[in-house]
Amino acid sequence: MEFERRDAPFVTPSTDVASIMRQVLYALIPAALAYVWYFGAGFIFNLLIAALFCAAGEAAMLRLRGRPVEPVLGDFSAMVTAVLLAFALPALTPWWVTATAALFGIVVVKHLYGGLGYNLFNPAMAGYVVVLVAFPLDLNLWTAPRMGDLDYHYMTLFETARYTLTGTFPDYLTFDAISRATPLDVVKAGLNSMNTFEEMRSYPMMGDFGGRGWEWIGNFTAIGGAWLLLRNIIRWQIPFGVLAGLLIPAGIFYFADPAVHASPGFYLFSGGTILCAFFIATDPVTAATSPRGRLVYGLGIGFLIYAIRRWGSYADGVAFAVLLMNMAAPAIDYVTRPRIVGHARRSWGRK
Amino acid sequence: MSELILILVGTVLVNNFVLVRFLGLCPFMGVSRNLEAAFGMSLATAFVLTLSSAVSYLLHEYLLVPLQLEYLKTIGFILVIAASVQFTEIMVRRLSPLLDQVLGIFIPLIATNCAVLGVALLNVQQSKGFIQSVFFGFGASMGFALVLVLFAAMRERLDAADVPLPFRGTAIALMTAGIMSLAFMGFSGMARP
């Protein structure tokens, strides 16, 4: 009996860094469009500035280290950092804040550790935390999301660009006139001053679950995340871990006493939860690598997000939680190392 | 009870002795080169710190205060710490040669760990009671242990990294400690009574 013989060409899947990073960028497009719709064109300026400084920082470091510039710059990893940074920053951010975050992330956190594949911390989140600690006022300027009915002030493209480049408002506007507390801020301040969560739920800005605008950005982010899961670019353990680590304690506290704790749905849909679960925590370099380790890593991030949002002084804990678990990732890998077949079980302290 | 838990959370995470108060940096940099040494150092420090914070409380409360010798507290605490380190070393050597092999070289190093003296002085400064002092010391050592073990695991990974030449070794380790400290700022505001 003769079998039919097939020769090349076979279709090989492309799994190089550039194609994976490109798909991550595609997956973020719906979320980016939603973000621009709700918070205005400032996002685009932030993205351009972050991309410019990330690329420049990367090129400068590669040149200084005597490495070839083009192949590394062409792998889009710096662009993913830039996009995540743009998502983390408020839509109205002066350019020097964005530039500081981008340069710190790329130069210090990525390249001083040896570049892509060696960095211990997520560059975008480290850059964001640096500016969050250094420029708290600028990082608090969240505008109201576009809602149609409330006191939404739409800054024109020119006014937005001017604010991004110079940090000044048009004459008829002030910082206080345009900045609004985010839902996370409102709930944290409200719970701390003994208001019940039910009371705050009725504020128009709170939307259905996590605040108007925010929850839709979350939904569109989840579409991209689901696509990445289907394409097998990210594995399920980390997103599942992050969401479970956040929702389980939130659920327990909420059902124990719904008055003084915000609902799990609120924490799920507000702030950067979903972006973190699918795009930030899943960074393959800085996360734990074994399957069990990834689950533990995700659960840790989720729980820390909850703890910081509920008991800490920062409104959103995503960036801190990611950095804290980045710190723990090597130890998690050490502990959850799969047993080599045929070797005895490992006991602590001796090799 | 809840006060003691708050003390633990406060000393382990919120006011971590290494990353927030910047005490005990020498062993943090010195003994973090490999994970097992870090683990051993953490255990030894936990024992000495808890012991010395208890003894230095007793010394202050029942000897220095009645005799109005509070100005001698720094010297007194140093004496207590040195004695408890020596005590630990002798006990470990006699009771468990195995543990002595693992911890032996680290135990004298604890005497120079400024976190130990820091805990004793902070206990007096914040006029804590006996139980609180012991928990404060224990929490401080747990915070030290947590950070030291995580840092050691990170440094083992750093050894394999392609770090630019001028930043190899202690330089990149110090920068890592800086970023860790930045991450620990996320805990600020927690564990307020």
Side-chain angles (χ1 to χ4, degrees), chain A residues 179-237:
Chain A
S179 68
R180 291 285 178 276
T182 62
L184 280 170
D185 282 321
V186 169
V187 167
K188 170 166 278 180
L191 291 178
N192 284 344
S193 55
M194 301 293 160
N195 292 336
T196 64
F197 180 63
E198 279 312 308
E199 214 175 308
M200 285 176 273
R201 276 296 297 278
S202 57
Y203 297 167
M205 65 172 304
M206 295 300 289
D208 294 321
F209 288 108
R212 288 169 76 162
W214 291 99
E215 50 200 18
W216 279 102
I217 295 173
N219 286 339
F220 282 106
T221 315
I223 294 176
W227 186 70
L228 285 187
L229 272 177
L230 286 179
R231 305 271 304 176
N232 251 340
I233 290 175
I234 55 176
R235 311 276 174 78
W236 62 272
Q237 285 97 342

Side-chain angles (χ1 to χ4, degrees), chain A residues 145-181:
Chain A
R146 180 198 298 268
M147 305 196 220
D149 48 348
L150 285 180
D151 56 346
Y152 178 75
H153 177 79
Y154 187 77
M155 272 172 79
T156 63
L157 203 61
F158 175 73
E159 287 167 355
T160 310
R162 182 167 156 220
Y163 181 81
T164 310
L165 291 177
T166 64
T168 52
F169 288 102
D171 293 332
Y172 64 96
L173 273 182
T174 59
F175 186 93
D176 292 333
I178 199 162
S179 68
R180 291 285 178 276

Side-chain angles (χ1 to χ4, degrees), chain A residues 55-178:
Chain A
E58 180 124 300
M61 285 308 285
L62 289 167
R63 173 71 51 89
L64 280 175
R65 296 174 64 201
R67 302 289 160 91
V69 174
E70 267 141 51
V72 181
L73 213 53
D75 71 9
F76 294 103
S77 61
M79 288 306 107
V80 171
T81 302
V83 176
L84 292 179
L85 200 53
F87 270 106
L89 294 168
L92 289 176
T93 307
W95 71 272
W96 58 86
V97 175
T98 317
T100 309
L103 287 178
F104 186 85
I106 291 292
V107 173
V108 176
V109 179
K110 186 173 173 191
H111 272 286
L112 291 191
Y113 284 87
L116 184 69
Y118 295 117
N119 49 316
L120 292 173
F121 297 97
N122 186 320
M125 289 303 104
Y128 173 71
V129 165
V130 162
V131 294
L132 182 63
V133 172
F135 307 106
L137 188 67
D138 292 304
L139 270 281
N140 265 329
L141 180 61
W142 286 95
T143 49
R146 180 198 298 268
M147 305 196 220
D149 48 348
L150 285 180
D151 56 346
Y152 178 75
H153 177 79
Y154 187 77
M155 272 172 79
T156 63
L157 203 61
F158 175 73
E159 287 167 355
T160 310
R162 182 167 156 220
Y163 181 81
T164 310
L165 291 177
T166 64
T168 52
F169 288 102
D171 293 332
Y172 64 96
L173 273 182
T174 59
F175 186 93
D176 292 333
I178 199 162

Side-chain angles (χ1 to χ4, degrees), chain A residues 14-75:
Chain A
S14 65
T15 50
D16 56 323
V17 176
S19 86
I20 286 180
M21 294 293 171
R22 225 174 16 239
Q23 296 188 56
V24 172
L25 289 176
Y26 294 152
L28 280 166
I29 289 174
L33 293 177
Y35 199 103
V36 172
W37 169 258
Y38 281 109
F39 288 103
F43 175 80
I44 297 171
F45 296 125
N46 290 346
L47 182 56
L48 291 177
I49 292 163
L52 179 72
F53 279 93
C54 281
E58 180 124 300
M61 285 308 285
L62 289 167
R63 173 71 51 89
L64 280 175
R65 296 174 64 201
R67 302 289 160 91
V69 174
E70 267 141 51
V72 181
L73 213 53
D75 71 9

